[in-house]
Each structure stands twice: as structure tokens, then as C-alpha cells.
Amino acid sequence: MNDDAELVQRIRDGATDEFAELVQRHQSRVRGIVGRYERDGHLCDDLTQETFLKAWRALASFDGRAPFVHWLSRIAVRVAIDHLRRRKARVGEVGFDELGPDAAEWLHGTDEEPSPHQAREILDVAMQRLSPAERVVITLQEIEGRSVREIGELTGSSGVAVRVRAMRARAKLRKIIEAMERQSS
């Protein structure tokens, strides 16, 4: 198996058909990244394709200082952030009434802990009320388990900025969920 950097160089030298090999190697990783920000499978496919299209167009800017997969992952994160911004501008906030009946029932005051499915629905609605930047940091840190340094590399932010954004996003998320509970009472 050829190294990604060597493959990129061959593509730059005119073997453009070999870009399909890069897509094949990294498609599942890219789809996994965008899938953490968008649950609709068709939209994930579109975002994955958009990521590879952007990578193709920017291939000349890949300088090899970092592994190709890191460069591609950063593009995927930016595509996901742009998607969240566009969707938030179009759709606005998801209302409490759009929660499924099980999650809504829990919020209406049952003393039981929510099921994993209920908790996921509640978290999805609450996460949609965060800004795209807040949502990305929380997703990368809490769901993907990435370090502050990795998040900084992927988002182009300093470690301090990542820590502050994560702290503020967690506090905002807590307030959103508390407000949802109060609304349901």
C-alpha cells in the first residue's frame, strides 16, 4: 500500500485517476466525522462528497507537514461546521414539541431517569441550540474523546480558546436542558 503523501504527489504529477484511491482509503473516516454532526444518512453522504470535492480542489495546498488524513479530517470538520451554520440559518431552533413522545414524557416530570433513546433525543435538541462552534467542540471533546490539542488542530483554534469554548458550551447546554425541564413542568 502506498503512503498517502506519495499518492498525493502522483496525483499532482498528473495521475488524477488515483484520487479515487484516496477516497477509498478515507471515505469511512470522513463519513464518520460528518456523521457526528448530521444524523441523516443522505446528508452525510452529501457532506462526505463535499469534503472530497473540497480536498480535490485544494490538493495543491497540501504541504505534507501533517499526515494527509489530518488535513482531510480538518476539511471534513469545516464542511460539517458550514453545514450546521447553513441549517441553523434556514431552520432556526428545534422546538420542545418536536421531541419524541418518550423524551417529552420524561421532561414532563416523571421521576425516572430517561432511557438512552430519550436522553439522545433530548441531547440532540439541546445541541441544536448551541452555536456551530460550540457544538463542534463538545462533539469532538465529549463524543469523539479528542484532546484539546487535537481539537485546536482540527478547528484552527488555540488550546485556551478550545478550553474556554468547551466550558461555555457545557454551561450553555446545562442551562438549555434545565430550561427544557422547566418548560415541561
Side-chain angles (χ1 to χ4, degrees), residues 18-19 21 26 33 39 62 67 97 117 134 151 156 181:
E18 292 193 38
F19 189 76
E21 173 67 22
H26 302 292
I33 291 169
R39 292 175 63 183
F62 174 68
D97 56 342
H117 177 72
E134 292 166 333
I151 296 168
E181 289 174 336

Side-chain angles (χ1 to χ4, degrees), residues 32-119:
I33 291 169
V34 299
R36 290 180 181 96
Y37 303 96
E38 175 56 60
R39 292 175 63 183
D40 181 290
H42 295 296
L43 285 174
C44 284
D45 292 342
D46 291 346
L47 295 172
T48 299
Q49 184 176 2
E50 183 179 340
T51 298
F52 282 108
L53 182 60
K54 286 185 183 241
W56 169 257
R57 289 178 179 158
L59 203 55
S61 70
F62 174 68
D63 60 15
R65 286 185 289 168
F68 177 79
V69 69
H70 292 172
W71 181 78
L72 184 61
S73 295
R74 190 169 181 172
I75 293 171
V77 168
R78 287 186 175 160
V79 165
I81 291 170
D82 290 345
H83 167 70
L84 292 175
R85 285 182 181 139
R86 286 189 308 264
R87 186 173 69 187
K88 186 167 184 153
R90 281 193 323 262
V91 177
E93 292 184 354
V94 173
F96 171 72
D97 56 342
E98 293 179 40
L99 283 173
D102 293 340
E105 184 178 306
W106 174 77
L107 279 173
H108 281 298
T110 64
D111 290 331
E112 301 174 24
E113 288 291 313
S115 71
H117 177 72
Q118 293 167 331

Side-chain angles (χ1 to χ4, degrees), residues 1 6 10 27 42 45 52 58 78 87 92 94 100 114 132 134 160 164 172 185:
M1 181 151 120
E6 292 172 9
R10 285 201 316 269
Q27 187 169 13
H42 295 296
D45 292 342
F52 282 108
R78 287 186 175 160
R87 186 173 69 187
V94 173
E134 292 166 333
V160 172
V164 169
K172 188 174 177 181
S185 299

